[in-house]
Amino acid sequence: MTAYSELYAHFGRVAALANAVGILQWDNDTMMPRGAAVTRTESMALLHVLRHGMMTDPRIGDWLEAAAADTGLGAWEKANLREIRRVWTVETAVPPDLVEASSKAISACEMTWRQARADSDFKALLPTLTEVLNLQRAIGEAKGAKLGLSAYDALLNDYEPGGHSTAIDALFDDLADFLPGLTAEVLEVQARRPADPPLAGPFPVAAQRALGMQMMEVLGYDFERGRLDVSTHPFCGGADNDVRITTRYDEDDFTSALMGVIHETGHALYEQGRPQAELGQPVSVARGMSIHESQSLLMEMQACRSREFLRFAAPVMRKAMGGSGPAWEADALWRRYTHVERGFIRVDADEITYPAHVILRYRLEKALVADAMPLAELPLAWNAGMRDLLGVTPPNDRLGCLQDVHWPSGGWGYFPTYTLGAMTAAQLFDAACKANPDVLPAIGRGDFAPLVNWLRSNIHIYGSFYETNDLLTHATGRPLDASVFKAHLRRRYIEEV
């Protein structure tokens, strides 16, 4: 066997193990009986240890060196070799004792966070969160030493390969200057509208599930390679060619669950469209979280909050929910789905105010990882940032700096990918509509094939063949450009009202 074929076979086995972990994790989050928790934890821990051992196998370095000298490799094989080297470098950068210490600190911090959040008591979280931060900083420094990056950029690289905070700073500073004025302008426009009547429930879960599955089919989801279930927090998971999504239902409000299904379907379409010929290899996986998030937000925000989609969907929703009256008209539903409001909670935020929540978290976590701000000052800095970016001040820590689990769970460097994904979604949708002027009219007919076909041929089939900036440039003709996102927001919320 050649060195490359050894690598190919080895990482195929790594992927098979990851697929098993994915299904076990999905089961854990959806339907596993409580009594199985201890056994499942032990099984998952062992599988993670086995995977880490395979990812740090000392033979990988020798195979990589030999394969790099192979002049017979094709473009996809060279890209796979690049991705194998990237993931191997990251996996081997951190000493096992640091990984273990971080895992234990995160477990303790997550448990403390649940109670601290309920009690709105940041001081109670401070000791365990300090330990998590110190260990994440050490992990970032260890990875950064191998990758030639700052500690923060090394942590960011786990979620956004090749991403750099200098580029994000420029994009986010531009948005931060733009958003407060736009928010005020949109709120003035909204204030002049007559109030719409409420959608009267209850909306039975069975009817909501049927509607969600109908819309999944409209978007192009393949039920032969996935399923829809219920979980506390909606997610997309599973395994290669077994892409499962979840949602949660509220019998008083079907609109939230439906958009949750559409959001996760966007993720799933990406996973179902990955390159089959290279499935199981690092080159086949989705290209980072900003691209992944762009696929869900493209469906949820760009396509399915458009007037065209809601003209198609309004009668479908009315029939499914047994609704009638003005509240069920397409224009009323559009106003409902594009309502803007300043608020404290990120996950409840609308398309206009959401980026401000992310920019705040990004700026704070970058300062904390760089040790440029004491962690004890986080509540004050958070509230000041909320006041500057959103014009509101949280009355307590539960509605402020304790609302997200990302930092207690070790997710430092993840937050910016949410807004990078929203910006990418706008740029991709704009490019798709320009490449095929029938994309929006077809959505108005309930036909997503033109859009999905464009995404398949420009994003999905490439997996990680291209690096992120190259992939976006290949698809849209330019790197990420904040002006496209800004123009989308102004058009939807000011010009087309």
Side-chain angles (χ1 to χ4, degrees):
M1 293 178 71
T2 65
Y4 180 81
S5 60
E6 293 277 15
L7 284 167
Y8 192 96
H10 185 80
F11 277 85
R13 291 189 290 272
V14 172
L17 189 59
N19 283 335
V21 170
I23 296 300
L24 286 173
Q25 186 64 56
W26 165 85
D27 179 69
N28 181 81
D29 294 338
T30 54
M31 58 182 64
M32 184 188 75
R34 287 187 178 181
V38 174
T39 304
R40 179 60 52 82
T41 299
E42 292 173 353
S43 298
M44 293 284 282
L46 176 57
L47 290 173
H48 282 302
V49 168
L50 292 173
R51 181 187 175 279
H52 181 71
M54 294 176 71
M55 291 290 288
T56 57
D57 189 318
R59 295 176 296 174
I60 294 175
D62 296 332
W63 289 333
L64 282 168
E65 186 176 350
D70 188 342
T71 58
L73 298 181
W76 276 89
E77 292 165 323
K78 289 178 181 178
N80 195 35
L81 201 60
R82 179 199 72 220
E83 290 303 298
I84 289 173
R85 183 179 295 279
R86 181 180 64 80
V87 297
W88 175 74
T89 300
V90 171
E91 288 280 348
T92 56
V94 185
D97 59 340
L98 185 53
V99 173
E100 182 179 4
S102 178
S103 178
K104 290 179 179 178
I106 285 169
S107 294
C109 192
E110 284 181 331
M111 293 186 66
T112 304
W113 168 78
R114 293 188 187 102
Q115 190 60 51
R117 180 176 179 273
D119 296 340
S120 190
D121 185 1
F122 177 76
K123 289 182 179 179
L125 181 66
L126 185 57
T128 56
L129 187 59
T130 298
E131 186 176 6
V132 168
L133 172 58
N134 289 338
L135 290 166
Q136 286 296 305
R137 187 184 293 127
I139 288 171
E141 289 168 352
K143 291 179 178 179
K146 279 282 192 80
L147 298 169
L149 299 172
S150 68
Y152 183 80
D153 281 354
L155 296 174
L156 171 69
N157 184 70
D158 287 344
Y159 309 105
E160 184 65 6
H164 291 277
S165 55
T166 51
I168 297 174
D169 286 344
L171 290 166
F172 282 11
D173 287 350
D174 185 25
L175 275 184
D177 289 340
F178 171 75
L179 289 171
L182 179 66
T183 302
E185 193 174 351
V186 172
L187 291 174
E188 287 181 12
V189 170
Q190 279 186 181
R192 295 195 293 268
R193 295 178 187 162
D196 288 306
L199 293 170
F203 306 108
V205 168
Q208 292 192 52
R209 174 178 169 79
L211 175 61
M213 293 181 70
Q214 182 178 356
M215 289 303 178
M216 289 167 70
E217 289 184 351
V218 168
L219 267 60
Y221 182 87
D222 181 2
F223 278 98
E224 292 295 313
R225 295 188 292 149
R227 52 183 289 140
L228 171 66
D229 291 280
V230 177
S231 65
T232 303
H233 300 286
F235 69 91
C236 173
D240 293 340
N241 284 328
D242 187 358
V243 185
R244 308 179 181 198
I245 72 169
T246 69
T247 192
R248 58 187 175 194
Y249 299 106
D250 178 353
E251 291 198 338
D252 293 325
D253 178 16
F254 79 91
T255 62
S256 177
L258 179 59
M259 279 300 170
V261 166
I262 289 170
H263 180 98
E264 300 305 333
T265 299
H267 282 303
L269 290 172
Y270 189 11
E271 290 294 324
Q272 291 184 337
R274 287 165 44 208
Q276 291 288 312
E278 301 294 334
L279 213 59
Q281 294 300 305
V283 74
S284 78
V285 302
R287 186 63 202 177
M289 286 312 302
S290 70
I291 297 294
H292 225 313
E293 196 65 23
S294 79
Q295 299 307 288
S296 58
L297 291 173
L298 191 151
M299 288 299 172
E300 179 196 356
M301 294 295 186
Q302 298 291 320
C304 294
R305 292 180 195 257
S306 68
R307 288 189 182 275
E308 288 81 359
F309 174 75
L310 288 165
R311 290 188 191 111
F312 155 75
V316 179
M317 293 179 187
R318 282 198 300 270
K319 182 177 179 182
M321 296 294 121
S324 63
W328 293 88
E329 295 301 320
D331 284 348
L333 289 168
W334 181 84
R335 287 190 291 271
R336 182 183 184 88
Y337 273 124
T338 58
H339 179 74
V340 173
E341 184 176 354
R342 292 188 175 102
F344 305 121
I345 304 298
R346 174 185 61 86
V347 296
D348 295 335
D350 52 79
E351 192 178 18
I352 291 279
T353 61
Y354 191 97
H357 290 270
V358 171
I359 291 168
L360 170 65
R361 288 154 175 78
Y362 164 71
R363 289 174 171 175
L364 291 173
E365 71 177 7
K366 192 174 66 158
L368 289 166
V369 170
D371 205 12
M373 183 183 85
L375 185 57
E377 294 180 6
L378 178 61
L380 289 175
W382 183 288
N383 290 351
M386 286 289 290
R387 186 170 57 251
D388 292 343
L389 287 166
L390 280 159
V392 295
T393 303
N396 55 56
D397 292 342
R398 182 176 61 82
L399 295 175
C401 65
L402 290 177
Q403 64 184 267
D404 301 300
V405 73
H406 296 59
W407 292 337
S409 67
W412 296 78
Y414 188 99
F415 276 121
T417 65
Y418 287 123
T419 289
L420 292 174
M423 297 167 70
T424 302
Q427 191 161 321
L428 289 172
F429 192 69
D430 178 71
C433 291
K434 287 176 178 175
N436 184 351
D438 191 44
V439 164
L440 265 174
I443 287 172
R445 302 189 299 268
D447 178 7
F448 276 73
L451 175 59
V452 173
N453 289 342
W454 188 90
L455 291 171
R456 285 276 191 263
S457 59
N458 287 279
I459 299 294
H460 300 173
I461 63 166
Y462 287 109
S464 285
F465 177 81
Y466 290 112
E467 298 194 60
T468 306
N469 286 337
D470 294 334
L471 178 61
L472 191 56
T473 301
H474 169 80
T476 71
R478 55 180 157 174
L480 189 58
D481 184 349
S483 68
V484 183
F485 182 56
K486 290 159 62 178
H488 155 70
L489 294 178
R490 177 162 287 281
R491 184 169 55 249
R492 171 171 287 176
Y493 292 90
I494 300 295
E495 298 170 6
E496 296 181 356
V497 295

